[in-house]
Amino acid sequence: MKYILILLVLLNSFAHAERSYVIERGSIRIHVIEFSEFENSGFGFIDGKKKKSFVTDLYSEEDHSFIVNGGYFDGNLNPVGLFRINGVDISNTKDPRLSGFVTITEEGELELHWKRIPEIEYDDIVQSGPFVIDPGGKIGIRSRSGKEAKRTIIGRTKNNRTLVITTNEVYLYDLAIILNSEIPDLDRALNLDGGPSVGLIYGDIRIQNSNPVRNFLTKIRVNQMGDDNSE
């Protein structure tokens, strides 16, 4: 039996109108944070460098709406695939195994790209993959392979809502089926690092990554953005 538990998050400390909800299908639990088209600003990556960083190390309740783990890295915490942060290339080598890119402009606007990125000077770029939902809304995983693991996903709907998704242990194929069914207007969804790397802080939700990770995705609070613009 499936059911959806919807939680509208209206926290006074949040200047956003974002909402969060939980999709439950059997033992699978999927947490979604949703930002409207008009809230596509203030996103950015934080580089944890080689300091064995956890979400609790870099999250600021005053500054950030949320923090979630980012892209892949090797055993020495070197980023795997293209990685640029604050306009500086940390890794300029594209990994052919990774089919997608998260890009963020200087204004903090986040986009998801399939296989290639436009010739634009993005402030932040993280290469990742695979697409769980391919651009256009088609299921991007063809079969149940690999193993069940925690997941972190960034999604975009057909009306330009941005979704930040974390899960408990699930096959990517099963996750693709559920997302396609429960969020029918989902246009694309890109897999970030998963397993013990999954970490999230959002409101009262605290998921500590059990292994250190290289980089993190965040969103600056609206009031902090206003303060920055007024200087």
Side-chain angles (χ1 to χ4, degrees), residues 60-220:
S60 167
E61 186 174 357
E62 293 182 355
D63 296 335
H64 302 135
S65 291
F66 74 90
I67 186 170
V68 71
N69 66 288
Y72 296 102
F73 52 91
D74 64 21
N76 295 314
L77 289 176
N78 296 309
V80 172
L82 194 64
F83 178 42
R84 177 185 301 163
I85 188 163
N86 296 325
V88 177
D89 288 336
I90 307 301
S91 169
N92 56 15
T93 302
K94 295 181 181 179
D95 192 315
R97 299 170 298 176
L98 303 177
S99 58
F101 301 87
V102 183
T103 63
I104 301 175
T105 67
E106 186 177 356
E107 293 75 27
E109 296 177 351
L110 183 149
E111 298 292 341
L112 299 176
H113 306 275
W114 188 50
K115 294 187 178 179
R116 63 182 65 185
I117 53 179
E119 295 296 328
I120 298 174
E121 281 298 316
Y122 292 102
D123 214 39
D124 292 357
I125 301 174
V126 168
Q127 188 179 11
S128 195
F131 270 100
V132 177
I133 301 295
D134 284 343
K138 295 182 179 180
I139 292 173
I141 307 297
R142 304 293 181 256
S143 63
R144 182 186 286 176
S145 60
K147 61 181 181 180
E148 293 179 297
K150 296 178 181 178
R151 310 291 181 182
T152 299
I153 305 286
I154 302 299
R156 178 61 57 83
T157 66
K158 293 176 182 176
N159 63 351
N160 294 318
R161 303 192 315 277
T162 300
L163 309 180
V164 178
I165 300 169
T166 54
T167 78
N168 62 350
E169 288 75 10
V170 60
Y171 289 102
L172 278 179
Y173 177 76
D174 293 348
L175 177 58
I177 296 295
I178 295 171
L179 292 178
N180 182 256
S181 171
E182 301 294 347
I183 312 176
D185 66 338
L186 186 59
D187 179 73
R188 60 190 65 190
L190 181 64
N191 186 56
L192 299 182
D193 198 5
S197 295
V198 173
L200 170 72
I201 299 179
Y202 175 75
D204 294 332
I205 298 171
R206 297 289 193 276
I207 302 172
Q208 176 77 302
N209 46 301
S210 56
N211 284 358
V213 304
R214 176 63 196 244
N215 53 65
F216 304 85
L217 177 66
T218 64
K219 191 176 192 299
I220 300 297

